[in-house]
Amino acid sequence: MPKASAVKTESLYGVHPGVAMVQKWVAELKSKTGRSLEEWITLVKREGPKDEMARRAWLKTKHKLGTNSAWWIAERADGKGGEEDSPEAYLKTAVLYVEEQYTGPKEKLRPIYQNS
């Protein structure tokens, strides 16, 4: 698994250190909990509550997961959070976030951003 800081890119943006943290978490999840991320997602979809907040609580109380793990697994079961899985996915999403940031009323701020 590539380290977040080791990826070379032509992007204007850098990879947040949190990406490496998520990669480490995914890699160690099975040894720490007995299930891989994919296995947790399958369990949540099969047996867990339908609501994301209720899923987090269920993962914490019934399965004794920590807050971050419960949050991430509940999100992933809904198809969210994948932009933190790899530096490439993060950088692709960063471009979209910046584009969205400068739409609508904030569009007039784009020249300030582009000239900095």
Side-chain angles (χ1 to χ4, degrees):
M1 184 171 346
K3 287 226 170 226
S5 59
V7 172
K8 301 289 184 205
T9 179
E10 299 293 321
S11 177
L12 295 173
Y13 312 105
V15 178
H16 191 278
V19 173
M21 179 184 71
V22 171
Q23 289 179 314
K24 183 178 185 290
W25 170 75
V26 170
E28 295 175 351
L29 191 60
K30 183 149 184 139
S31 65
K32 288 185 174 185
T33 67
R35 289 185 174 96
S36 68
L37 180 58
E38 294 76 21
E39 291 168 332
W40 277 111
I41 290 170
T42 299
L43 177 70
V44 167
K45 286 181 176 182
R46 189 178 63 235
E47 297 177 19
K50 299 297 178 211
D51 173 73
E52 187 177 317
M53 255 175 99
R55 285 176 170 173
R56 287 184 221 141
W58 178 75
L59 288 164
K60 288 172 68 173
T61 56
K62 181 167 182 166
H63 297 284
K64 308 295 184 222
L65 293 177
T67 300
N68 288 345
S69 293
W71 188 286
W72 288 329
I73 291 167
E75 274 190 343
R76 298 301 175 86
D78 281 341
K80 301 176 195 170
E83 67 275 1
E84 298 174 343
D85 285 353
S86 72
E88 296 81 10
Y90 180 86
L91 292 172
K92 182 178 178 184
T93 305
V95 172
L96 298 174
Y97 287 156
V98 171
E99 288 302 314
E100 289 172 4
Q101 179 176 318
Y102 294 107
T103 59
K106 293 183 180 180
E107 189 171 349
K108 60 187 168 214
L109 298 173
R110 185 180 289 274
I112 298 169
Y113 163 73
Q114 290 172 330
N115 294 327
S116 59

